[in-house]
Structures are given as structure tokens and as C-alpha cells.
Amino acid sequence: MDAAFTLAWQHSVGLVFPENLPRAAAELMAEGQDSPALRDLAGRSGNEDTAELQGLLQEAMGELCVPVPDGETAERCLLHHLAARLTAGDITPKDVAATLWYGIADTGTDLESQFARAATEEDYLDAMETNQPEAFRSWENALRAAAITLAAAENNPLKAVEIQPDRALPGADAK
């Protein structure tokens, strides 16, 4: 996964807050990415104007030739990311439910909508886990099944970025 694209979609869905953009830019630079706007952003304080930090992120992504996804595509990236992490055992079904919000299922493919609905259909997971353990396990199993199906889906916006040809920085010799 391209780290810059990951930052772009994660910022778009609110997983990376504007005040964390300078640190995230510094991490991209440590991974070998570089552009004038990325250097500028990495040198900023998280206490600076939010709009200015976000503008620098947009500018850096443009300089790095990294597509910045629209809101719907960023939400789709989040769904695929969570499905893959749940399938790999990196997170729990409750982690998925805590990250998603109602209405996210309104966009995307049928598989994405099924996964989002499965994650957000239960309101009181802690009470369900304690008072209705069979129902809770059934919900977990349904969400895991939806995650496995989504993680294997062909129409994955995260994979679309992975197959792009190498990108050169502006002014660099293209391969």
C-alpha cells in the first residue's frame, strides 16, 4: 500500500486529524517520499491553522502524483482496510464497529454496504456481549464472514493504487 495514499484517505475519513499531519508528513519523508510541500508540512506545528495544514497536504499529494480520493472513495478504502485487518486478526469486530458510522453503507458496492451494515446494525454491543452472548457471537461471525468476502473482492480502491506505475517527482527523469 502506498503510504502517501493511505495518509490521504485516512485524513479524508477522519482517522488522521489535521494536527497530526506534520508528524505524518515527517514519517512519509523518513520512508523516502519527498516534495517541497511535504517538507513544508513536515516542518510545521500541529497547532497551526487547520486549513493551511490541509492545503499543504493537498499540495504535497499533487507534487507526489498521489491521487486524493473523494469522500466516497475514502470511505470505501476504510471499509476494505477494516475488512482486511479483521480477516487478518489484527482487530476485533468491536473495533470495526467502533470505527464505522451509520450511513457509511449508503455508498459503494453491495459487498461494501453489506460489511458496513453488518458492523453498524447493533447499537449496544457491550450489553449484548454480556447479556446475550450467543447473539453477540452470531453478530461477530456475520461480520467476519462479510469481512472475508469484502477482503477478497476485486473492486478494491486500495488495490487500484498499488498497481499504478512508479511515480516520479516533478522534474525527475521518468522511468
Side-chain angles (χ1 to χ4, degrees):
M1 171 64 55
D2 185 270
F5 180 72
T6 299
L7 173 59
W9 73 256
Q10 287 184 346
H11 174 66
S12 180
V13 296
L15 295 180
V16 176
F17 296 112
E19 60 267 21
N20 296 328
L21 289 175
R23 188 185 82 228
E27 289 171 1
L28 286 177
M29 291 187 66
E31 293 176 12
Q33 307 240 11
D34 191 21
S35 82
L38 190 65
R39 286 191 301 272
D40 188 0
L41 181 57
R44 299 291 181 109
S45 163
N47 296 327
E48 295 190 32
D49 179 59
T50 298
E52 192 169 336
L53 295 175
Q54 291 172 321
L56 282 170
L57 175 66
Q58 294 289 324
E59 188 177 338
M61 295 298 113
E63 291 170 354
L64 295 170
C65 300
V66 173
V68 177
D70 60 32
E72 180 181 326
T73 303
E75 289 178 2
R76 293 183 61 224
C77 288
L78 175 62
L79 291 170
H80 284 268
H81 173 74
L82 291 173
R85 291 196 61 211
L86 180 60
T87 300
D90 296 337
I91 58 175
T92 67
K94 283 176 73 174
D95 294 331
V96 173
T99 304
L100 296 180
W101 57 90
Y102 291 96
I104 194 168
D106 296 341
T107 61
T109 66
D110 288 342
L111 292 177
E112 292 162 353
S113 295
Q114 290 168 7
F115 176 69
R117 275 194 304 276
T120 60
E121 70 185 352
E122 297 298 338
D123 288 328
Y124 303 101
L125 291 174
D126 290 332
M128 178 196 273
E129 184 176 21
T130 302
N131 301 327
Q132 301 172 317
E134 290 95 24
F136 182 77
R137 280 192 296 281
S138 176
W139 169 78
E140 283 185 314
N141 291 336
L143 183 56
R144 281 192 174 97
I148 290 167
T149 303
L150 183 57
E154 294 292 320
N155 189 6
N156 183 338
L158 298 174
K159 290 180 181 175
V161 172
E162 290 175 351
I163 60 172
Q164 286 185 355
D166 289 340
R167 293 184 233 58
L169 292 175
D173 293 332
K175 291 183 177 181

